[in-house]
Amino acid sequence: MAAMSMIQALNSALDVMLERDPDVLMFGEDIGYFGGVFRVTEGLQKKYGLKRCFDTPISEGGIIATAIGMGAYGLRPVAEIQFADYILPAFDQLVSEAARLRYRSNGEFWAPITVRAPYGGGIFGGQTHSQSPEALFAHVTGLCTVIPSNPYDAKGLLIAAVESNDPVIFLEPKRIYNGPFDGHHDRQVKTWVNHPAAEVPEGHYTVPLGKAATLREGREVTVLAYGTMVHVAEAAIEETGIDAELIDLRSIVPLDIGAIVASMKKTGRGVILHEASRFAGFGAELSALIQERCFYHLKAPVARVAGWDTPYPHAFEWNYFPGPARVAAALKRVMEEN
Amino acid sequence: MAEHLTLHIPKPPTRPGDAPDFSHLQIPPAGALPRPDSATPARELRDLSDGLIRVLDGEGYAVGAWTPTIEPQRLRDGLRAMLLTRLFEERMFRSHRQGKTSFFMKSTGEEAIGAAQSMVLSPRDMCFPTYRVLSWLMARGYPLNDLVNQIFSNERDPLRGRQLPILYSARAYGFYSLSGNLGSRFGHAVGWAMASAYKGDDSLALAYIGEGSTAEGDFHEALTFASVYHAPVILCVTNNQWAISSFAGIAGAQEATFAAKAAGYGLPGLRVDGNDFLAVWAATEWAVARARANLGATLIEFFTYRAAGHSTSDDPGRYRPADEAAHWPLGDPIVRLKQHLIAIGEWDEARNIQFEAELSEMVRSAAKEGEAVGTLGKSKPPVSEMFEGVFERPDWRVIEQRKELGV
């Protein structure tokens, strides 16, 4: 075990997989010699050689098309998209090709690719370095979409993603790369040091895709979150003193529907959190699933706390970001309903 | 300086009602171009992008430096694959008209390309096709029954009713899964080729794209990656002059040849008579030798003509002269290969008539067998299979939804 930041944990996952499996290789913009703009691939080219970890042209469509071809051949490519905001030129490759190759060829070809991309706000990145596109991918059948919230999960989920024979979109919450962030942007920045989930085994292990984590058991309300919002939820729960059950979904496809339903039936109240804008966000799907499966257990309407339905605004970052005050208000509102 | 700016919108020289006119095309005589060694640096090969590599002359003789050495039996095999493609497609086109399937596309006039390339490439190589290279499969003996069953989406459909007719997948025949999205597999071929090089294997990739789809980003992305990483891939543009109703000028053909686009990527670009089986063969051999020598990718433009409509949903008489195909200056690839075989004393009309009768009977028999299994809607795989193969292991959604549908 070692204390690791999320960046170190992700780097360790890639290191483990490069070491274990000669068919694993990775490429993306600036990830080779330089080690990536967020340093996730630092040292890997030096350790494993040029062809295992290399730079690509600025061509997201080309990166993913290349990865799919390599995957069909039998490799396990890990492609990095420098920011999730830049993934859209590759959308056709992900939607029309990676997601459907197995189905349309009746299993003759498939795309065991992992697409890593830092996502989310809180870094003053403006509208082109802050977005959360997970709902776009969740809607596409045939893709898995995974979002870790801490170093331990990040490593175990990334190894599981690389070992999966299905295409995985692996969204890394960049605001918590270096430390947990509870949305209190005016307080001192924390690191992962001394956080229990920063104790990460140095070798190989997996956190299975599709298995949520109940981070806090509670009786009064269920909070569903992933990525950075897990930490915002923890702060809001603590500050309100409400006996909430906090579920970190960890992957939204596959979705741990069993954990969600069991908790909702227990508490009868639900608050769904994400940074992405609210309308048709992944919270809409969660909300629909809950009312379909738990309607007669509900004591209050399910609430969503999310980004506003505007582009991500630079100067108004903290007005836009669904911080602990908004989450706390939603918790209280849901508790007041009868 | 112009008095004011004007916007240029390209238009073809002729439209319905006009006499077909191909006088704007510059068709050099067969054998005119030199054949540089396949290791020649790309910058010394520019003439091959603007000229036209041709081998068969007007009398059916092979002339010039690009003349390949092909055993007569291999030539007859090629003729067979092309003729079988044409007969099969004519039969299935009629089946569509009879309501036996939903959709069909023919490759009439383009059969030489897939047939010759399929024969030049090895079983270890992978073709990333468009929907107009059935002759690749025909040259490798893909079972006609499986084609028919796929086209009818019946219970023996190898793709289990999931794909539009003719969007085949045939891994064992070196034929990658097709999609109706244009150009989106061009980059997969580059990835495949890079993977082969990464592993130290000797598999090459070969991909097709239509001239219309060269305007897609996929084309330029693939060329960039192929160039940067010296991928052992042969990237082919099938320039059949028409993208549904849009003439090649809408894709930029009036400004540069498609082969010339290779220059900006530092790749060789060969422009080849796509209706000349021997020229297709020779150019492909050249590119294969270059790729196997670890010298990277080649772009080949096959200059050809889409003699049929785009698909069963298309009527080309609405946008081009009705008899334009008959005036295509590079002729019919099947007629030209047959003429060559006769010219070299390896074939005659009597054998050809018998040959055509045998192939017609094969096609008829396969169609009948497929009809006996069932045409579209009369037979289909179990509906439960609709829910299989989305992921490696089904997730709860498809399990629940399958139950919801009651299958």
Side-chain angles (χ1 to χ4, degrees), chain A residues 108-124:
Chain A
E108 284 196 333
F109 299 94
W110 60 96
I113 67 170
T114 302
V115 182
R116 296 180 35 246
Y119 88 99
I123 62 153
F124 274 107

Side-chain angles (χ1 to χ4, degrees), chain A residues 220-232:
Chain A
E220 293 184 319
V221 55
T222 299
V223 180
L224 303 178
Y226 46 85
T228 306
M229 291 307 292
V230 167
H231 303 277
V232 178

Side-chain angles (χ1 to χ4, degrees), chain A residues 3 64 68 85 139 152 164 244 274 315:
Chain A
I64 302 304
I68 295 169
D85 312 72
H139 186 62
Y152 181 89
S164 169
H274 53 66

Side-chain angles (χ1 to χ4, degrees), chain B residues 176-238:
Chain B
Y176 190 71
S177 165
L178 268 162
S179 159
N181 292 37
L182 301 183
S184 52
R185 278 87 54 228
F186 216 52
H188 298 192
V190 177
W192 179 283
M194 287 172 66
S196 174
Y198 172 91
K199 297 279 280 181
D201 297 340
D202 62 355
S203 175
L204 308 183
L206 180 149
Y208 296 100
I209 198 166
E211 90 286 349
S213 302
T214 61
E216 294 279 9
D218 304 75
F219 176 72
H220 304 278
E221 291 159 1
L223 283 167
T224 300
F225 278 69
S227 166
V228 168
Y229 301 108
H230 295 192
V233 61
I234 300 155
L235 297 169
C236 304
V237 177
T238 308

Side-chain angles (χ1 to χ4, degrees), chain B residues 61-381:
Chain B
Y61 291 100
V63 295
W66 284 90
T67 302
T69 305
I70 313 175
E71 289 292 316
Q73 184 53 44
R74 299 286 282 155
L75 291 173
R76 285 188 290 269
D77 290 345
L79 183 67
R80 181 184 188 279
M82 291 161 70
L83 195 52
L84 187 56
T85 301
R86 186 161 303 175
L87 293 168
F88 180 84
E89 289 184 339
E90 283 170 2
R91 174 85 193 198
M92 288 295 111
F93 194 85
R94 287 202 304 278
S95 292
H96 170 267
R97 291 294 187 240
Q98 293 161 355
K100 292 171 184 168
T101 190
S102 57
F103 179 78
F104 196 71
M105 303 174 98
K106 298 200 284 189
S107 59
T108 315
E110 303 173 33
E111 297 94 337
I113 301 165
Q117 296 203 294
S118 183
M119 293 172 75
V120 172
L121 272 86
S122 87
R124 301 181 304 280
D125 302 327
M126 183 60 68
C127 161
F128 293 73
T130 64
Y131 41 61
R132 250 185 265 283
V133 268
L134 176 58
S135 57
W136 176 285
L137 288 174
M138 292 302 195
R140 293 190 174 200
Y142 188 81
L144 298 187
N145 288 342
D146 285 342
L147 296 174
V148 175
N149 292 333
Q150 196 281 329
I151 290 162
F152 290 164
S153 287
N154 66 25
E155 64 177 331
R156 293 200 197 148
D157 172 3
L159 301 183
R160 317 312 292 148
R162 294 170 187 169
Q163 279 277 50
L164 199 66
I166 80 162
L167 299 185
Y168 316 112
S169 177
R171 186 163 192 147
Y173 296 81
F175 194 88
Y176 190 71
S177 165
L178 268 162
S179 159
N181 292 37
L182 301 183
S184 52
R185 278 87 54 228
F186 216 52
H188 298 192
V190 177
W192 179 283
M194 287 172 66
S196 174
Y198 172 91
K199 297 279 280 181
D201 297 340
D202 62 355
S203 175
L204 308 183
L206 180 149
Y208 296 100
I209 198 166
E211 90 286 349
S213 302
T214 61
E216 294 279 9
D218 304 75
F219 176 72
H220 304 278
E221 291 159 1
L223 283 167
T224 300
F225 278 69
S227 166
V228 168
Y229 301 108
H230 295 192
V233 61
I234 300 155
L235 297 169
C236 304
V237 177
T238 308
N239 176 7
N240 67 10
Q241 314 302 322
W242 291 96
I244 305 187
S245 73
S246 299
F247 84 118
I250 293 295
Q254 291 177 332
E255 315 303 323
T257 71
F258 295 97
K261 293 176 193 292
Y265 299 95
L267 297 174
L270 312 182
R271 190 158 173 268
V272 178
D273 177 354
N275 290 19
D276 177 340
F277 184 89
L278 274 69
V280 174
W281 185 292
T284 307
E285 273 191 334
W286 188 95
V288 164
R290 190 175 177 94
R292 293 215 197 278
N294 229 13
L295 297 170
T298 300
L299 180 70
I300 307 179
E301 172 186 352
F302 290 114
F303 197 65
T304 182
Y305 183 84
R306 193 196 77 206
H310 167 70
S311 73
T312 45
S313 307
D314 181 37
D315 172 10
R318 295 180 65 153
Y319 51 79
R320 68 185 190 189
D323 54 346
E324 200 183 63
H327 292 82
W328 178 245
L330 294 168
D332 179 318
I334 296 179
V335 171
R336 289 176 67 192
L337 181 56
K338 184 182 101 180
Q339 184 191 26
H340 173 64
L341 275 162
I342 292 172
I344 61 172
E346 291 289 343
W347 200 238
D348 55 56
E349 286 293 351
R351 284 162 81 183
N352 202 70
I353 289 166
Q354 190 195 343
F355 196 50
E356 197 164 332
E358 285 168 16
L359 296 178
S360 294
E361 177 50 31
M362 274 177 63
V363 168
R364 197 192 69 83
S365 161
K368 287 287 169 202
E369 278 185 47
E371 286 168 17
V373 177
T375 56
L376 180 67
K378 303 281 196 301
S379 158
K380 61 183 170 188

Side-chain angles (χ1 to χ4, degrees), chain A residues 18-334:
Chain A
L18 284 165
E19 178 74 40
R20 276 170 77 93
D21 185 349
D23 289 340
V24 170
L25 76 167
M26 50 207 60
F27 43 91
E29 297 157 18
D30 303 302
I31 80 160
Y33 185 85
F34 181 58
V37 296
F38 291 102
R39 327 300 307 152
V40 172
T41 54
E42 187 163 29
L44 297 178
Q45 186 183 77
K46 191 173 182 194
K47 186 168 176 185
Y48 295 98
L50 266 176
K51 75 171 191 178
R52 306 290 307 277
C53 176
F54 58 86
D55 293 324
T56 63
I58 303 171
S59 173
E60 290 78 15
I63 291 168
I64 302 304
T66 301
I68 295 169
M70 287 180 168
Y73 189 92
L75 303 183
R76 292 195 177 279
V78 183
E80 178 179 304
I81 300 296
Q82 197 164 78
F83 286 84
D85 312 72
Y86 305 163
I87 206 168
L88 297 177
F91 203 52
D92 184 43
Q93 284 298 326
L94 293 166
V95 174
S96 308
E97 296 296 335
R100 300 187 197 164
L101 190 55
R102 179 192 298 281
Y103 187 80
R104 76 172 193 233
S105 70
N106 191 30
E108 284 196 333
F109 299 94
W110 60 96
I113 67 170
T114 302
V115 182
R116 296 180 35 246
Y119 88 99
I123 62 153
F124 274 107
Q127 60 173 323
T128 54
H129 305 80
S130 305
Q131 294 168 83
S132 300
E134 69 274 11
L136 299 179
F137 300 109
H139 186 62
V140 178
T141 193
L143 295 178
C144 299
T145 300
V146 176
I147 307 175
S149 72
N150 61 64
Y152 181 89
D153 285 358
K155 179 172 176 179
L157 288 168
L158 182 55
I159 290 174
V162 175
E163 291 178 344
S164 169
N165 288 327
D166 293 315
V168 180
I169 311 295
F170 193 89
L171 296 173
E172 300 169 1
K174 66 174 97 70
R175 185 60 177 84
I176 58 172
Y177 264 154
N178 289 308
F181 174 65
D182 63 11
H184 286 295
H185 57 92
D186 45 356
R187 295 184 189 167
Q188 196 180 356
V189 172
K190 286 183 204 150
T191 69
W192 284 107
V193 173
N194 298 325
H195 192 287
E199 282 300 311
V200 178
E202 290 181 53
H204 177 277
Y205 68 94
T206 59
V207 172
L209 309 185
K211 191 90 189 79
T214 302
L215 298 184
R216 186 186 189 286
E217 294 199 359
R219 288 166 299 176
E220 293 184 319
V221 55
T222 299
V223 180
L224 303 178
Y226 46 85
T228 306
M229 291 307 292
V230 167
H231 303 277
V232 178
E234 279 175 338
I237 291 165
E238 194 175 315
E239 288 157 20
T240 55
I242 292 169
D243 185 18
E245 181 143 296
L246 174 58
I247 296 182
D248 177 358
L249 296 177
R250 299 202 285 202
S251 75
I252 61 174
V253 179
L255 181 69
D256 191 345
I257 188 66
I260 295 168
V261 167
S263 180
M264 283 303 306
K265 285 185 174 173
K266 180 171 82 173
T267 64
R269 297 174 202 269
V271 176
I272 299 163
L273 312 182
H274 53 66
E275 285 182 67
S277 36
R278 185 156 63 195
F279 187 85
F282 192 66
E285 179 61 36
L286 291 171
S287 179
L289 286 167
I290 290 167
Q291 75 84 15
E292 283 170 355
R293 288 158 196 258
C294 313
F295 184 78
Y296 295 106
H297 294 80
L298 291 183
K299 299 169 189 160
V302 173
R304 289 180 288 163
V305 184
W308 306 122
D309 288 305
T310 70
Y312 208 110
H314 182 245
F316 310 116
E317 176 134 56
W318 303 120
N319 307 97
Y320 180 92
F321 186 89
R326 270 158 64 191
V327 176
L331 285 169
K332 288 179 195 157
R333 196 167 67 243
V334 165

